Amino acid sequence: MSTQEKILAKLIEAVVEYEEDDCADAAQEALDAGIDPMVAVMEGLAAGMERVGVLFDTNEYFVPEVLMCADALYKGLDILRPHITLDANIPKASVVIGSIQGDVHDIGKNLVKMMFDVAGWDVHDLGRDVPLETFVEKQLDVKSDVLAMSAMMTTTMMGMKKVIAMVKEKNPDCLIMLGGAPVTRDVANLFGADGYAESAGNAVSEGIKMIGRLREFQKGDIK
């Protein structure tokens, strides 16, 4: 096992075992070893939180453990984030994000939130089990570029379609991104969304593409 693999494994274990000090130490060790801080975030911290999601789904972990794991993750992120170089050519954007009404599972949403945060976006996190109207009210209040919604059940997923309709009626230029276990790109298209995040790793790039397409359209480059 290489030095990088060993350090990434330490980051994963520290998150899963909710060891805040160990997570901070492993994050510093990653920097000292010359590991790309974004790799440490994605393949260390985020990978650890994905394992926590599995433990939560199988009832091995419950909400208190998940919250402590998140605290450990952010200890590591505090060390790594200042060393992540942002692309100056990418405009800073804003996003309103939350798990749809009826959904209390927010681990995936929190990973996506973290990636937007790391990328320098202005993030407005509504949390989990968010009433449909709250998404609309918050988006109109802060005038975010993107509204991102997560669902983990097919039953709650249907609420996304209602939110999209309400938001688009009041602000047609708002870009909607969907994600979550039951959501596919076909479902996102069917509901009238502008984008689909298959994973936390591609959420930011998808958001940037959506904004780019909108701006090209507004300039008349797309007919």
Side-chain angles (χ1 to χ4, degrees):
M1 184 182 288
S2 69
T3 299
Q4 176 166 314
E5 289 172 334
K6 290 178 181 178
I7 294 174
L8 293 176
K10 286 183 182 180
L11 284 167
I12 292 171
E13 182 179 7
V15 171
V16 173
E17 298 297 328
Y18 40 87
E19 293 288 349
E20 294 185 25
D21 291 341
D22 289 351
C23 199
D25 290 344
Q28 186 60 53
E29 190 176 350
L31 293 176
D32 294 341
I35 297 173
D36 184 333
M38 185 59 82
V39 170
V41 168
M42 288 302 299
E43 298 182 24
L45 299 178
M49 205 64 190
E50 287 174 356
R51 290 193 187 179
V52 173
V54 174
L55 293 170
F56 181 78
D57 290 339
T58 55
N59 294 321
E60 295 178 64
Y61 273 15
F62 298 94
V63 172
E65 288 88 355
V66 171
L67 293 176
M68 288 189 290
C69 291
D71 287 341
L73 179 150
Y74 275 99
K75 280 289 186 180
L77 186 60
D78 285 344
I79 302 294
L80 295 168
R81 178 165 34 198
H83 300 275
I84 294 174
T85 302
L86 302 179
D87 189 340
N89 295 320
I90 297 176
K92 184 176 180 180
S94 60
V95 58
V96 169
I97 187 170
S99 297
I100 201 75
Q101 187 171 0
D103 246 305
V104 295
H105 192 303
D106 64 353
I107 294 175
K109 184 271 296 178
N110 286 339
L111 283 175
V112 173
K113 169 196 169 185
M114 181 183 75
M115 294 313 301
F116 279 120
D117 189 27
V118 167
W121 285 43
D122 188 10
V123 181
H124 304 272
D125 183 17
L126 299 177
R128 57 186 180 175
D129 191 18
V130 180
L132 307 186
E133 296 80 7
T134 302
F135 280 108
V136 183
E137 292 167 0
K138 188 64 175 181
Q139 196 288 317
L140 293 173
D141 179 43
V142 301
K143 297 179 175 59
S144 65
D145 298 288
V146 175
L147 171 61
M149 293 181 284
S150 170
M152 292 302 295
M153 298 179 287
T154 53
T155 49
T156 58
M157 179 179 74
M158 300 309 296
M160 292 173 158
K161 187 176 182 180
K162 296 178 181 178
V163 173
I164 292 172
M166 289 189 287
V167 170
K168 291 292 188 180
E169 180 182 0
K170 297 179 181 293
N171 182 9
D173 287 339
C174 177
L175 299 169
I176 312 288
M177 178 190 295
L178 304 183
V183 183
T184 63
R185 190 169 293 278
D186 287 342
V187 168
N189 291 338
L190 182 65
F191 285 2
D194 303 282
Y196 162 67
E198 184 179 11
S199 66
N202 78 340
V204 175
S205 60
E206 179 71 8
I208 292 169
K209 289 176 186 175
M210 287 161 50
I211 291 172
R213 289 195 299 267
L214 175 63
R215 288 177 178 166
E216 288 176 8
F217 180 81
Q218 291 172 334
K219 289 189 298 184
D221 295 339
I222 298 177
K223 305 297 182 184

